[in-house]
Every structure is written in C-alpha cells, then in structure tokens.
Amino acid sequence: MDYTIFYSSLATIVLIVMIGFFVAKKKWVNEGANKAIVTLLLNVAWPCALFGSFPGKFSPEYLTNFLWGAGGGLLVLTTAILVSRILFRKKKNPKNYFEYQFAFIFNNASFLGFPLVSTLYGQDGLVPYGGFIIVFNLALFGYGVALFREKFHVKDLLKTFLNPNVIAVLLGFVAFLFSFELPKFSADTVKYIGAMMTPMSLICIGFMLSRANIRQIFKRKMVVLTCIAQLILGPLITFGALKLIGTPNYVIAILVLIQALPTATSLGLFAEKYRDDTGNASELVAMSTILSAVTLPIIIWLMGILI
C-alpha cells in the first residue's frame, strides 16, 4: 500500500467527521434529522453503492475475489463470535455482556468500511468487500439480534435476505456474472446516489461523537478494555485465520482493514430497539471510534510488514 495515499485518505475522512461534529455542535442537525439521514443511507445510498461496486463485465479474477471475501468473512466472523464468548462471559458481566460481545464481533463495515475500501482500493477492493458484506449482514441481523434478545429467531435471519443491502449485492453479483450493464441514465442514477454514502455516513459519525461525554468514557475501564481488544486483537485474529487457509494477500489486507475499524454504530440502534437503553452502547461506539484513530494506522503499518 502507498502510505501517502493511506494517510491522505485517512486525513480526509477525519476532516469530514469533524465537519459532522461541528454541524452537530452548531445544532444545524438534530437527532431526528440524523436518524432520517441514517435511514436514507442504509436503505438507499448504500444499496446503490454496493450494486455499483461490481464491474460491468464478468472476470474470473473478480469472481474469485468475491468468493474469497465471502468465505473469509464467514471464517472471520465465526472466529470472532467464539473468541467473544470466551472474553466476555455472562458470569463476569451479567448486565452488559451481550453489548461487549457485540462490540467485539461487529465493526463499522458500512459507514467507515465502504469509504475506506473504495478510497484505498477502488472498484477492485469493493468486489471482495461485497462478498464480505453479505456474510456480515446475515451475522449482524441473525446472531447480533439474538445477542440482545438472548434467544434466536429464525425469522430474523430470514428477514436479512430482504435487507436492501443484501439484495443489492446479490443483484450486482448476478449482473456481473452475466455481464449485464444498466442503460447509461440508470447507471448514472445509481452512481450519483451511491456517491452520497461516503461523505454523509462520515458526517453522521461526527454527529454521534458530538453526543459523547469523552471525559466520562475514559473512566469506564470495561469499555476501554473491550474497545482495545476489538481494535487490536480482532485484526490480528483475522490475519492469522485467513493466513491459515491460504487467503490471497490482497483479500487479507482488505478484511484486516475492515476488522480494524471501530465497532458498529448499529450497536446503539439495537440497544435502543431491544433494550430501550443506549448509554453503555453509545460509550462503546464513541470510545472505539476515538481509539481507532491511533490503532488503525498501527494495524495497517503492521500488515504492510507481515503481508
């Protein structure tokens, strides 16, 4: 990787997040408006971005990378689930164990993952990313929801297949297999709507950070330790697991990058929906996002040596 491009891209992302933070502090956007933007991004902009990430013509190389992304995602998330159950047991943290497990397993593969992968690797990187995202969404809305409910519902997993993002990836994959290309006006529409994903998602993250009490968060020992484990141990486990099965270095770099991202903002959404409590969840998201500014460059530098 060209580290000049990486740090330049990272600086751009941080600047856009700061704009979101500033907008929130100026009260130009309120909580209701932010939720509406998040809904628009998840149900419209991200599906368009994912659909448009596939190349117009079939290529065996792209197909291989897509399948490696999906298979690698399955291995990585399964391993993360097993490790989380060891690190954050219910007996030790009976009140919030499920939130700590969730924070360790699921990261911000959407709001931060997409802009980073697309910026650093372009369309080539978005192909294995698309394979990973299918597995990620299935795990998120299946196992992730089960953590908060403390029981598994098959219907929740089945609903995941109706998720706009899963549908978009599957449609994009089918179009790629048959080398089907949309008419120019339709392709441009998908392109322009998908382009909203990167800047608006980062602004939403800035908004979320503006709501966090930074001083108080650093006093929460368990929150800090959970985030450190997620940001450092998670990527290292990913690297080791993917190396063991002979995953191409290119795909390893992308999946390690994704696993080095802060915990998913959906943690707060799930906590509000299923537990009517976002306090601890919001602290985990905010702390993980703050610490990732330090750990992410270190992980990328380390991968540059190991890969």
Side-chain angles (χ1 to χ4, degrees):
M1 180 188 294
D2 186 333
Y3 288 97
T4 302
I5 296 176
F6 170 74
Y7 286 113
S8 176
S9 301
L10 189 62
T12 301
I13 287 172
V14 170
L15 182 58
I16 298 176
V17 170
M18 290 175 62
I19 291 173
F21 187 92
F22 176 78
V23 165
K25 288 298 184 181
K26 295 292 289 185
K27 298 183 179 180
W28 292 346
V29 175
N30 58 26
E31 192 72 36
N34 186 65
K35 286 185 177 181
I37 293 173
V38 169
T39 301
L40 179 66
L41 291 175
L42 291 177
N43 293 294
V44 182
W46 196 22
C48 285
L50 290 171
F51 180 85
S53 67
F54 285 91
K57 294 183 179 180
F58 175 79
S59 163
E61 181 183 355
Y62 280 136
L63 176 60
T64 301
N65 286 340
F66 178 87
L67 295 177
W68 270 116
L74 179 61
L75 174 62
V76 167
L77 289 169
T78 300
T79 304
I81 289 172
L82 294 175
V83 173
S84 73
R85 295 175 70 89
I86 296 173
L87 293 179
F88 309 104
R89 297 181 181 181
K90 186 175 182 179
K91 291 182 179 180
K92 293 185 177 180
N93 304 282
K95 185 179 180 181
N96 299 113
Y97 79 95
F98 53 90
E99 291 182 335
Y100 298 133
Q101 289 185 15
F102 186 103
F104 183 84
I105 300 166
F106 301 105
N107 52 48
N108 210 331
S110 54
F111 280 8
L112 272 177
F114 184 89
L116 261 179
V117 173
S118 61
T119 300
L120 295 175
Y121 296 98
Q123 189 179 59
D124 289 348
L126 290 175
V127 173
Y129 172 82
F132 173 85
I133 279 299
I134 289 182
V135 179
F136 179 85
N137 276 318
L138 290 174
L140 178 66
F141 292 99
Y143 187 80
V145 170
L147 275 176
F148 280 86
R149 285 185 166 182
E150 296 191 84
K151 54 185 176 180
F152 178 76
H153 286 273
V154 176
K155 64 179 181 180
D156 291 320
L157 184 58
L158 295 177
K159 286 180 181 178
T160 307
F161 287 98
L162 299 178
N163 182 286
N165 303 296
V166 173
I167 293 173
V169 172
L170 293 176
L171 289 177
F173 181 63
V174 171
F176 160 69
L177 288 177
F178 292 96
S179 297
F180 173 79
E181 295 187 33
L182 294 173
K184 188 177 185 307
F185 71 91
S186 299
D188 287 345
T189 300
V190 171
K191 177 182 177 181
Y192 294 146
I193 295 177
M196 293 192 302
M197 184 63 193
T198 296
M200 294 307 297
S201 63
L202 296 175
I203 287 175
C204 287
I205 290 175
F207 181 93
M208 176 204 68
L209 289 176
S210 73
R211 295 296 187 260
N213 188 330
I214 307 300
R215 292 181 180 179
Q216 291 299 319
I217 295 177
F218 276 97
K219 295 178 181 179
R220 298 286 306 280
K221 181 180 178 180
M222 194 61 194
V223 170
V224 175
L225 291 176
T226 300
C227 293
I228 291 175
Q230 180 250 329
L231 292 169
I232 297 178
L233 186 59
L236 294 179
I237 290 174
T238 298
F239 174 79
L242 294 178
K243 268 293 185 182
L244 283 176
I245 63 171
T247 307
N249 287 339
Y250 180 73
V251 178
I252 291 179
I254 292 172
L255 295 190
V256 169
L257 171 64
I258 293 173
Q259 291 305 111
L261 298 175
T263 194
T265 52
S266 53
L267 172 58
L269 300 177
F270 281 16
E272 182 177 9
K273 180 176 181 179
Y274 296 109
R275 297 279 178 160
D276 196 28
D277 178 22
T278 59
N280 195 63
S282 297
E283 290 178 351
L284 283 165
V285 174
M287 174 57 70
S288 182
T289 303
I290 293 168
L291 292 179
S292 68
V294 177
T295 60
L296 181 58
I298 295 174
I299 292 295
I300 297 302
W301 171 79
L302 183 61
M303 290 302 106
I305 297 176
L306 296 176
I307 296 178

